[in-house]
Amino acid sequence: QAQFVESGGGLVQTGGSLRLSCAVSERPYSSHVFGWYRQSPGKEREFVAAIRWSNGRTYYTDSVKGRFTISKDTASYTVYLQMNNLNAEDTAVYYCNRGTTPGDPGRYWGQGVQVTVSS
């Protein structure tokens, strides 16, 4: 099974930026859609952004549009999430996932990476 290793989380002040990385252990297929999801304490895991491996088309939840950018590096099998203008509501554990439909996660998850935004 594929493995996903997230990195790049940390503590940042409101208005700051972070870039998350998701290293994928095996070559993705053209049908794959990679997504970032997040979960805050007491809340359900929610969709953040997704990208189609085949053509790079991107999808975002409304609350991050204009602030977050998802991208991929085909050569290194890595998916990124650039997060700008962060606020306290972005504090969560962020997870990488591979599926075939944007917003519909697949079976396997990475270990997650903590993002904490302080005011």
Side-chain angles (χ1 to χ4, degrees):
Q1 68 188 53
Q3 294 182 334
F4 316 111
V5 179
E6 300 100 333
S7 62
L11 174 65
V12 64
Q13 291 186 332
T14 297
S17 299
L18 284 174
R19 188 176 81 155
L20 305 183
S21 299
C22 172
V24 185
S25 63
E26 61 186 29
R27 185 177 69 85
Y29 293 162
S30 59
S31 60
H32 285 150
V33 175
F34 287 87
W36 286 96
Y37 296 76
R38 65 188 181 187
Q39 188 168 21
S40 304
K43 295 185 178 180
E44 293 187 355
R45 195 172 300 184
E46 65 172 353
F47 167 75
V48 176
I51 187 168
R52 291 191 180 277
W53 194 259
S54 60
N55 59 12
R57 183 175 179 181
T58 59
Y59 308 83
Y60 300 94
T61 193
D62 287 345
S63 64
V64 308
K65 286 180 180 178
R67 301 188 299 123
F68 290 12
T69 302
I70 188 170
S71 62
K72 62 182 177 73
D73 182 351
T74 303
S76 65
Y77 308 161
T78 305
V79 179
Y80 301 99
L81 185 67
Q82 176 67 43
M83 306 185 295
N84 298 328
N85 194 22
L86 287 160
N87 57 59
E89 288 68 39
D90 298 316
T91 294
V93 178
Y94 284 71
Y95 297 90
C96 180
N97 183 274
R98 183 190 70 187
T100 56
T101 303
D104 185 13
R107 179 178 179 181
Y108 300 108
W109 296 89
Q111 82 285 357
V113 61
Q114 178 69 48
V115 172
T116 303
V117 184
S118 65
S119 58

